[in-house]
Amino acid sequence: STIPIQQSLVWNDVMAVKDDNRALSTLVQPGNRATPIRVQISDVLTLVHPGDFIDILCVCGETKESTVLLQRVLVLATGMDTSGAATTKESTQRATVLTVSASLQESQLLAVAMEKGKLNAIVRNPTDQRITESPADVTPAALTDSTRRQAIQTPRRKTNSGPIELKEVRR
C-alpha cells in the first residue's frame, strides 16, 4: 500500500501487536541499518520503547559541547527487546543499548561520536515531524552566562486549562 508523504506512522501500523519474536533485520527501514548505541543515562532506557522516535545528542571533546547529531530517529530495540513488551524489572535493567534505524553514514557518525564523547537520547512525540535546521552547539559557558542561557531557552506554552491534575485510576 502507498503512504502519503509526511504522514505519521506509529509502530502498530507496520508491525503486528503480538509479534514478540521479530527479527531485528525485518524492522530496519529500507536503505538504513540497525545501529546499536550506548547512551549516557541508563535509566532513560526504561522509558524508551521500540517504535519511539528520539533525537540523539553528543557531549563531545575537551570543550564538552553538546551537539545535535541526529533528529527523529526510529528506535528498533531497547537491549534485546524489539517488541516493547519487556515489562519485568530484570529485562528493563539489562538494557544498556538502544538500537536505532540509521543510514550508513549516520551510523558512522554515531560510531565516531561514541568514541569521542557520550550520547544522550531525547524522546520525541511520535506525531512531531519537525526537524530543527542547523541547531547550534551549546557550550558549558551557557550554564553560567545568563545571557547565553536565556538565548537558548524556549518560551513554554501556556494552557488555558490551568495546572494539570493527576487523578487516581482504579482498576
Side-chain angles (χ1 to χ4, degrees):
S1 77
T2 305
I3 301 169
I5 295 173
Q6 295 295 320
Q7 175 163 340
S8 293
L9 293 177
V10 294
W11 196 247
N12 293 343
D13 289 337
V14 294
M15 294 304 298
V17 177
K18 295 189 178 186
D19 189 5
D20 291 338
N21 297 318
R22 298 176 226 182
L24 183 61
S25 62
T26 65
L27 301 177
V28 181
Q29 298 161 313
N32 282 358
R33 310 294 190 270
T35 305
I37 60 171
R38 293 179 315 274
V39 294
Q40 180 179 2
I41 305 166
S42 61
D43 289 347
V44 78
L45 296 177
T46 62
L47 302 174
V48 178
H49 304 285
D52 284 349
F53 286 93
I54 61 171
D55 293 342
I56 302 171
L57 308 180
C58 181
V59 177
C60 302
E62 306 242 341
T63 59
K64 298 296 182 194
E65 289 184 357
S66 174
T67 301
V68 177
L69 293 180
L70 300 173
Q71 298 177 58
R72 197 165 158 62
V73 177
L74 177 63
V75 175
L76 300 175
T78 56
M80 299 298 288
D81 179 29
T82 59
S83 70
T87 55
T88 65
K89 200 169 189 179
E90 293 92 18
S91 62
T92 55
Q93 284 179 344
R94 276 190 297 230
T96 57
V97 172
L98 293 178
T99 301
V100 298
S101 184
S103 72
L104 187 56
Q105 285 198 301
E106 289 170 338
S107 297
Q108 288 177 294
L109 179 68
L110 291 169
V112 169
M114 281 188 286
E115 289 296 319
K116 294 291 183 184
K118 296 180 179 180
L119 302 185
N120 289 285
I122 310 300
V123 181
R124 298 177 63 112
N125 182 303
T127 62
D128 184 359
Q129 302 283 328
R130 291 174 292 178
I131 300 294
T132 302
E133 294 297 326
S134 304
D137 291 349
V138 175
T139 65
L143 297 173
T144 56
D145 184 331
S146 63
T147 305
R148 288 184 188 184
R149 198 169 51 251
Q150 287 174 354
I152 292 169
Q153 293 176 356
T154 304
R156 304 292 180 249
R157 286 189 233 158
K158 294 181 181 177
T159 61
N160 295 334
S161 61
I164 297 172
E165 291 183 28
L166 299 176
K167 296 181 181 176
E168 185 178 337
V169 177
R170 295 181 185 201
R171 295 179 184 195

